[in-house]
Amino acid sequence: MIPYGKQEITEDDIAAVVATLKSDFLTQGPKIKEFEDAFASYIGCKYAVAVANGTAALHLCALALDVQQGDKIITSPITFAASANCVRYCGGDVVFADIDPNTFLLNIKAVEQLLVAAPKGTYKGIIPVDFGGRAVDLEVFRKLADQHGVWIIEDACHAPGGFFIDSKGSKQQCGNGNFADLAIFSFHPVKHIAAGEGGMITTNDKVLYEKLLMLRTHGITRSPEQFKNSIAFAAGEPSATSYPRWYMEMQELGFNYRLTDFQAALGASQLQRAHAMLEKRLQIAKRYDEAFSNERNIKCQLLELGRNPSGHAYHLYVIHVQDRLGLYEHLTTKGIIPQIHYIPCHLMPYYRQLGWKEGDLPKAEAYYKTCLSLPMYPALADNEQQLVIDTIVEYVGK
Ligand SMILES: Cc1ncc(COP(=O)(O)O)c(C=O)c1O
């Protein structure tokens, strides 16, 4: 079986996990901070907060940015449901804006139309998604967001190591916090860095960082400088002059969204190979590009994107074919299991019952009809990729 995505686990990864299992801490130990620091340095941001998964990361971001009942937040329909659901967890309203048919990313013009048409303050935030691994140009989104007083959460689950080039010609790494208020990543096994389950929030904002640390663990703080109750109360002793060491306070309604230390150890070990694994993804993409470049019936992602392929982190390699269902069935009979990313989120029954319907976002709906994600992961062997290519070309023909 050749799936569309899969983890790569080395002996070093296994040794890192085993060493942590033999240590004093299975959770709340030193591996978390080690992983956070290494990840922050890889991404190029100031702060990183490790959490249980990417969905928890999104939820905590929405809480940290104080999403309230009725707040309107804009996101893309071509994403995993969690990008939108985090708004609903807080009682907010998701407003999907259509995609740009050239990049398949949230179309900034569609976002602008929404923002301009509503009284200021109607919208609270935007959640752009680095879909498939292609970096959103967050510089232009930031400009728009500032004009309308809204925040940005970058969903960078598909794009650790991805980047865009800003207007000054500088490389802006996904999740580096230079433009978005917060960014999130996932360490699900199909993602660039696997930890079983796991997620990370990155930011350059110290206030949000400290809030996230608290929300990740029940809303509890152990930092005396943040305590609200008196020393006398905390110590149970009117003459006490400092907070006792056992003392902690629950100040917010938080969650247990912690990552375990053995997951962090696996994530940190994988992170050491992140560059090499990304290179492998780029090689696989290039090979697909070359193989499909003369195939009239296959629209290939990079060739379609054309202009600035550099900076793409290739979580996914998406092709478009007219007989998508036929090709999908054919591939599965050969043991190749492609995937569809994504069924437009606004047409999921949950969002339909909130009022969304077919025809609302024509570009996203058209995209869905022909998209197919091919096997794309560092451990994909050359002969396996060749089998995928041959099977597709043979079926789709010239
Ligand atoms: C774009 C996107 N956002 C969020 C998530 C949620 O991450 P997780 O599965 O770790 O909860 C995913 C994972 O599939 C994703 O692809």
Side-chain angles (χ1 to χ4, degrees):
M1 291 260 274
I2 306 177
Y4 88 91
K6 189 167 99 178
Q7 72 278 11
E8 180 193 75
I9 300 293
T10 64
E11 288 304 320
D12 284 350
D13 292 341
I14 294 168
V17 174
V18 171
T20 308
L21 290 175
K22 289 180 179 169
S23 77
D24 287 339
F25 293 95
L26 294 188
T27 190
Q28 294 180 278
K31 285 290 158 196
I32 302 299
K33 188 78 171 70
E34 275 176 39
F35 184 32
E36 288 171 342
D37 289 349
F39 195 80
S41 123
Y42 178 64
I43 294 299
C45 64
K46 281 195 191 147
Y47 309 106
V49 180
V51 291
N53 52 61
T55 306
L58 283 159
H59 187 191
L60 290 190
C61 288
L63 288 170
L65 290 163
D66 205 25
V67 174
Q68 302 277 337
Q69 190 82 24
D71 284 354
K72 288 193 188 317
I73 318 295
I74 303 169
T75 192
S76 170
I78 298 299
T79 186
F80 184 61
S83 316
N85 294 350
C86 64
V87 174
R88 300 294 301 147
Y89 299 155
C90 301
D93 294 334
V94 181
V95 180
F96 295 102
D98 215 345
I99 58 165
D100 175 338
N102 294 315
T103 63
F104 315 135
L105 304 178
L106 185 60
N107 187 340
I108 192 160
K109 292 204 180 79
V111 175
E112 188 171 16
Q113 272 170 16
L114 288 169
L115 291 171
V116 167
K120 206 161 186 173
T122 305
Y123 291 95
K124 295 288 188 286
I126 313 172
I127 308 180
V129 182
D130 299 313
F131 168 67
R134 184 177 169 95
V136 171
D137 183 339
L138 284 178
E139 188 182 21
V140 292
F141 268 94
R142 179 80 263 168
K143 209 168 153 207
L144 182 68
D146 286 347
Q147 280 161 7
H148 294 272
V150 300
W151 48 251
I152 298 176
I153 300 173
E154 176 187 8
D155 184 335
C157 280
H158 295 184
F163 61 88
F164 72 94
I165 303 294
D166 71 13
S167 59
K168 297 193 183 81
S170 304
K171 196 166 148 177
Q172 296 290 346
Q173 186 120 330
C174 295
N176 71 5
N178 286 347
F179 300 103
D181 298 272
L182 296 165
I184 68 109
F185 295 86
S186 162
F187 305 126
H188 181 275
V190 296
K191 301 293 196 296
H192 290 61
I193 293 155
E197 296 282 355
M200 194 74 81
I201 306 167
T202 57
T203 185
N204 290 337
D205 184 318
K206 190 158 188 278
V207 173
L208 287 175
Y209 170 63
E210 283 171 356
K211 207 164 170 189
L212 289 164
L213 289 180
M214 203 188 281
L215 289 168
R216 167 178 71 179
T217 180
H218 306 284
I220 288 174
T221 179
R222 293 181 180 276
S223 305
E225 64 276 11
Q226 292 181 312
F227 289 159
K228 296 190 173 165
N229 285 333
S230 68
I231 291 175
F233 165 78
E237 170 58 65
S239 60
T241 54
S242 62
Y243 288 100
R245 283 209 286 169
W246 74 71
Y247 190 68
M248 48 88 169
E249 283 184 358
M250 194 208 97
Q251 297 185 341
E252 303 263 353
L253 189 60
F255 293 81
N256 178 354
Y257 277 165
R258 293 186 299 258
L259 189 70
T260 64
D261 273 52
F262 48 94
Q263 287 171 307
L266 178 54
S269 176
Q270 293 247 317
L271 188 57
Q272 291 181 16
R273 301 198 308 285
H275 185 71
M277 290 198 288
L278 182 57
E279 279 300 311
K280 191 73 207 298
R281 285 177 183 273
L282 299 182
Q283 280 167 22
I284 293 169
K286 192 158 177 271
R287 197 151 170 230
Y288 278 137
D289 284 341
E290 284 163 8
F292 300 140
S293 60
N294 292 323
E295 297 296 330
R296 269 190 301 121
N297 299 330
I298 303 171
K299 283 196 179 175
C300 146
Q301 191 182 22
L302 179 58
L303 295 174
E304 282 295 291
L305 297 173
R307 298 173 307 280
N308 178 23
S310 64
H312 201 303
Y314 282 107
H315 165 54
L316 302 175
Y317 189 93
V318 180
I319 60 166
H320 290 263
V321 287
Q322 285 310 311
D323 182 13
R324 192 260 311 267
L325 180 60
L327 178 60
Y328 177 88
E329 299 291 353
H330 182 67
L331 287 168
T332 56
T333 62
K334 305 278 177 187
I336 300 162
I337 317 295
Q339 211 15 305
I340 305 300
H341 297 93
Y342 285 98
I343 302 161
C345 212
H346 67 293
L347 297 179
M348 289 291 172
Y350 174 77
Y351 284 101
R352 282 186 195 249
Q353 52 99 28
L354 293 176
W356 292 91
K357 57 185 186 320
E358 273 164 76
D360 282 346
L361 301 167
K363 303 279 189 307
E365 292 164 33
Y367 166 89
Y368 167 60
K369 287 189 178 138
T370 55
C371 68
L372 190 70
S373 306
L374 302 186
M376 165 55 83
Y377 48 92
L380 183 69
D382 286 355
N383 62 333
E384 290 173 323
Q385 190 182 5
Q386 197 56 51
L387 178 68
V388 175
I389 292 169
D390 292 345
T391 312
I392 292 172
V393 170
E394 178 201 12
Y395 184 86
V396 179
K398 289 250 175 205

